[in-house]
Amino acid sequence: MAIIETREITKVYKIGDIAVNALNSVSLLIEKGEFAAIMGPSGSGKSTFMNILGCLDKPTSGRYLLEGADISGLRKDDLSTIRNKNIGFVFQGFNLLPRTSAIENVELPMLYNSFSANERSQRAEAALKKVGLSGRENHHPNQLSGGQQQRVAIARALVNNASIILADEPTGNLDTKTSAEIMELFTKLNTESNITIILVTHEHDIAAYSRRIIKFLDGYVVSDETKT
Amino acid sequence: MINIPSTIKISFKSLRVNKMRSALTMLGIVIGVGAVITMLAVGSGASQKIEEQISSMGSNLLMILPGATTAGGVRMGIGTQPTLSMDDTEAIQRECPSVLYVAPIHSGIAQIIYGNQNWSTGVVGTTPSMLYIRDWQLEQGRPFTEEDVRNASKVCLLGQTVIDSLFGSINPVGQIIRIKNVPFTVIGVLEKKGQSPMGQDQDDTIYIPVTTAQKKLFGTAFPGMVRLIMVKAQSKEDLNAAEKQIAELLRQRHRIGQKQDDDFTVRNLTQAMQASEQSAKVMTLLLGAIASVSLLVGGIGIMNIMLVSVTERTREIGIRMAVGAKTWDIRLQFIIEALTLSLIGGAFGIIIGISGSKVLSMIAGWPTIVSPLSISLAFSFSGIVGIFFGFYPAYKASLLDPIDALRYE
């Protein structure tokens, strides 16, 4: 069974009287443990697609099955629960809470779940260790480098044992060397922990870390290549 | 599922981040709660003072005044006709079951001399019951007795003001004073009572046996007549019954026909006092109501800051939603923040209110009473204000779209 399956997903935005088709019947299958890159120019619909995959947005029509379950008809709070349990987000701008220590940032998803304070700090420490940030638990985001901040964000995505990590241009704000380190971390999580990773990127050398490249243009999937 | 303890922790954290702003927002509630507590304290202090004055008069009192006389078509007003007698007094005591004590009063103003000092004051001729009617204790010495009344003894009890004016530091008991040149032995000293509700000095008085007043001081054209009669009813509930019984008895004794008017008047002193007590209570309510307006204004301050805070923290709300916060997680976070502001403000307000009342009674000399009820009232009101004014910002926050919120700069 595919971990992600979309069937003819369409997303239409209405801007005034003009309807813009951001996605045109996109049907895709992503298996558990895949490492896929989504590429395409601005306005190609890749961000809209990622928002739908991340249950932050709902398709106008079509069906989205996450681990076999149809989430199209779910309510806002049910989507929150799915995001909390199944999906980890990594953003271009890191999106950490300012004036909040690294470990508290990592604990954030667990606050909206039934963990005791003890469990929370243990799991957050373990997640920080996994991304190589042991000893930085009490640093605030402004005391960390960009790469370290992105590692905190990855730890936050991991901490609830999400099966999918959605990364929206995770290296967009990082230099080449740090970008490579982050991509190696993703590769390690993918191969060692069998976490499904889907990332959006402009850059071919970043996309090269993945084993499958899906290209979007004007709301259509124009190519879908898997490395052999 | 909402995790309340960690929501509280989140709220505390974000308030700590903006210390100055949180403190200023709280200030509105501090002032509001402080004002409510102080105003209620001032109000209930005033009520209590009036209550004390009323009870210093003696409780459940009736006063019987003689009727008006008519001389050649001119009606002279209440008290001009000598219609009340010592016998009436005894009859009331004997025959009215709702009456506890009765005492006649035959009084006048007289010059008093002790050594080289002199003083003019009201001299009240009465019976020993008067001290029970007025709930008046002796500070030292003894009261005069029924025997003193029977013998028209020349003994007297002095009020504090008289003692201060005549004796200074000398112990007055056993001394001889002259009232209208008649020598009297001081046998007792009346305890200090202070002002009456009408503002009279109750301590500027001398009590002597009623017979002595009639025979030796003020005389009377009608022997056995008295100026007025004071009555103490059995209880508050008995006041009306006592009034009726006395009127019936006196009409009968004075042989007043069905269609004739009374030749006496019965006045309920306590009723008049209770009216002023009532108005003090209304004043308390009014002061409290005005003060709670400032609490309301403090609440609007909280709402204002919370709205600013929601806008500023749009991105944070987006992040929280993305990692799984549900509608009520977000709402509760902001409501608890508002509630924390208002409750901490309320706690400081209690301190301000209590010390404000103390300062007021010290500087202005107003009696103030801080009741536990007013404290809990003001504190819970501040909590309600917090929830009420926190709800709208919280509701607004929970309606944000996570995608837009995450992109917010």
Side-chain angles (χ1 to χ4, degrees):
Chain A
M1 182 187 66
I3 194 165
I4 284 173
E5 179 179 358
T6 66
R7 293 184 190 160
E8 313 222 318
I9 278 184
T10 308
K11 181 75 190 178
V12 182
Y13 288 114
K14 280 215 170 95
I15 301 165
D17 289 338
I18 309 157
V20 179
N21 283 27
L23 289 175
N24 291 307
S25 57
V26 175
S27 297
L28 271 176
L29 273 177
I30 295 171
E31 299 294 330
K32 181 153 178 59
E34 272 200 74
F35 191 160
I38 295 177
M39 297 188 75
S42 310
S44 60
K46 58 187 192 313
S47 287
T48 306
F49 187 64
M50 283 294 268
N51 285 339
I52 289 173
L53 290 189
C55 297
L56 290 166
D57 206 350
K58 285 194 203 175
T60 312
S61 69
R63 302 221 298 157
Y64 170 27
L65 304 179
L66 181 68
E67 300 193 64
D70 189 354
I71 64 123
S72 314
L74 292 182
R75 286 172 305 129
K76 202 178 159 197
D77 281 356
D78 297 324
L79 293 180
S80 293
T81 308
I82 289 176
R83 287 199 297 272
N84 186 262
K85 297 213 166 115
N86 301 338
I87 302 167
F89 292 94
V90 178
F91 303 93
Q92 179 178 4
F94 318 136
N95 273 340
L96 300 175
L97 294 188
R99 306 185 212 93
T100 305
S101 67
I103 191 157
E104 282 173 311
N105 264 296
V106 176
E107 282 182 27
L108 194 64
M110 292 187 285
L111 290 181
Y112 302 109
N113 209 323
S114 48
F115 288 104
S116 70
N118 228 341
E119 276 178 294
R120 282 204 300 268
S121 58
Q122 274 174 9
R123 293 180 66 136
E125 267 175 54
L128 281 171
K129 195 176 171 197
K130 211 167 183 176
V131 299
L133 279 182
S134 289
R136 306 276 166 129
E137 285 88 352
N138 295 316
H139 285 52
H140 284 203
N142 58 4
Q143 296 168 309
L144 297 170
S145 71
Q148 286 170 328
Q149 288 187 54
Q150 196 59 297
R151 281 166 195 269
V152 174
I154 293 169
R156 184 178 66 191
L158 288 172
V159 79
N160 262 356
N161 289 334
S163 46
I164 305 165
I165 287 182
L166 299 176
D168 194 351
E169 303 201 30
T171 57
N173 286 5
L174 302 174
D175 59 44
T176 324
K177 183 167 164 278
T178 323
S179 294
E181 283 169 17
I182 293 293
M183 289 319 293
E184 270 151 28
L185 180 57
F186 277 130
T187 310
K188 191 180 114 190
L189 291 172
N190 178 249
T191 51
E192 288 178 9
S193 310
N194 201 29
I195 295 171
T196 311
I197 290 170
I198 302 169
L199 68 90
V200 166
T201 184
H202 284 304
E203 298 160 67
H204 287 281
D205 50 343
I206 296 297
Y209 284 90
S210 66
R211 293 192 300 278
R212 178 177 174 186
I213 296 177
I214 304 162
K215 286 187 175 154
F216 274 71
L217 189 66
D218 298 335
Y220 293 96
V221 176
V222 289
S223 86
D224 184 353
E225 294 164 2
T226 306
K227 280 187 217 164
T228 44
Chain B
M1 205 208 65
I2 298 154
N3 192 336
I4 300 278
S6 52
T7 312
I8 293 174
K9 208 180 136 202
I10 294 168
S11 308
F12 267 76
K13 250 190 81 75
S14 24
L15 291 178
R16 265 207 308 275
V17 164
N18 264 312
K19 283 195 195 74
M20 186 67 178
R21 182 199 284 180
S22 302
L24 285 175
T25 312
M26 274 177 208
L27 196 59
I29 296 291
V30 171
I31 292 171
V33 169
V36 168
I37 290 175
T38 310
M39 289 301 110
L40 289 180
V42 167
S44 48
S47 304
Q48 164 116 345
K49 191 168 186 190
I50 290 170
E51 251 169 71
E52 269 167 18
Q53 285 177 337
I54 291 170
S55 65
S56 81
M57 292 263 303
S59 49
N60 311 324
L61 293 190
L62 293 173
M63 186 163 72
I64 309 167
L65 296 157
T69 181
T70 308
V74 181
R75 296 168 75 190
M76 305 296 282
I78 281 173
T80 48
Q81 195 186 13
T83 55
L84 296 177
S85 66
M86 289 296 285
D87 295 340
D88 286 336
T89 313
E90 278 152 30
I92 290 169
Q93 179 77 77
R94 216 170 38 237
E95 287 174 37
C96 298
S98 299
V99 169
L100 188 59
Y101 296 114
V102 185
I105 288 180
H106 194 77
S107 58
I109 305 287
Q111 202 70 23
I112 308 137
I113 300 164
Y114 172 75
N116 58 357
Q117 299 290 325
N118 73 97
W119 183 249
S120 174
T121 187
V123 178
V124 177
T126 186
T127 58
S129 314
M130 193 61 185
L131 294 184
Y132 300 118
I133 291 176
R134 301 286 316 269
D135 293 323
W136 212 339
Q137 311 292 320
L138 289 183
E139 199 180 272
Q140 52 167 315
R142 64 165 182 92
F144 54 78
T145 60
E146 292 294 345
E147 206 187 329
D148 289 322
V149 175
R150 230 173 295 129
N151 299 340
S153 313
K154 288 179 278 186
V155 292
C156 64
L157 304 174
L158 302 187
Q160 290 293 342
T161 308
V162 178
I163 290 166
D164 294 342
S165 321
L166 291 182
F167 290 95
S169 56
I170 304 161
N171 182 359
V173 177
Q175 303 291 331
I176 307 286
I177 61 169
R178 300 170 80 81
I179 306 174
K180 276 189 156 182
N181 267 333
V182 181
F184 279 77
T185 310
V186 179
I187 56 170
V189 174
L190 293 163
E191 196 181 69
K192 191 172 176 64
K193 254 195 193 297
Q195 271 189 6
S196 80
M198 314 299 191
Q200 289 158 334
D201 179 2
Q202 300 185 83
D203 298 312
D204 190 6
T205 192
I206 296 180
Y207 277 18
I208 60 172
V210 61
T211 43
T212 319
Q214 287 170 328
K215 291 174 186 161
K216 300 191 169 135
L217 282 186
F218 305 119
T220 165
F222 308 92
M225 290 297 155
V226 295
R227 292 260 163 92
L228 50 95
I229 299 174
M230 295 291 287
V231 173
K232 186 185 182 76
Q234 298 277 6
S235 69
K236 203 173 162 188
E237 290 70 35
D238 281 320
L239 268 172
N240 287 333
E243 209 174 326
K244 231 175 256 164
Q245 288 160 8
I246 291 165
E248 226 163 84
L249 178 74
L250 289 182
R251 282 181 74 89
Q252 203 185 332
R253 286 179 58 83
H254 297 179
R255 301 202 170 73
I256 298 168
Q258 287 270 305
K259 284 173 188 160
Q260 280 175 283
D261 289 337
D262 291 347
D263 63 352
F264 58 88
T265 312
V266 182
R267 276 196 195 155
N268 188 333
L269 291 181
T270 316
Q271 239 165 30
M273 300 304 112
Q274 271 160 358
S276 61
E277 191 183 351
Q278 204 56 44
S279 63
K281 279 187 179 141
V282 170
M283 186 188 78
T284 309
L285 275 181
L286 214 71
L287 285 174
I290 293 169
S292 32
V293 170
S294 62
L295 194 48
L296 216 63
V297 173
I300 294 171
I302 288 188
M303 177 144 102
N304 188 13
I305 285 303
M306 293 308 294
L307 282 173
V308 171
S309 176
V310 166
T311 310
E312 272 186 359
R313 286 151 67 191
T314 300
R315 208 185 170 93
E316 175 195 325
I317 296 164
I319 296 170
R320 288 181 187 279
M321 284 176 163
V323 301
K326 297 186 202 58
T327 311
W328 272 100
D329 290 322
I330 299 293
R331 272 184 209 172
L332 269 185
Q333 178 186 341
F334 284 94
I335 288 174
I336 289 174
E337 272 181 40
L339 191 61
T340 309
L341 279 175
S342 64
L343 287 185
I344 294 177
F348 281 111
I350 289 172
I351 298 170
I352 296 288
I354 292 173
S355 37
S357 315
K358 288 245 164 70
V359 168
L360 258 186
S361 41
M362 249 168 13
I363 292 178
W366 297 346
T368 56
I369 299 165
V370 180
S371 68
L373 180 74
S374 71
I375 290 178
S376 49
L377 199 79
F379 191 63
S380 42
F381 194 35
S382 75
I384 291 168
V385 161
I387 293 175
F388 184 81
F389 288 104
F391 189 82
Y392 177 66
Y395 176 75
K396 239 187 116 184
S398 73
L399 287 190
L400 286 172
D401 177 49
I403 300 169
D404 295 338
L406 280 168
R407 275 198 215 117
Y408 185 86
E409 291 298 327

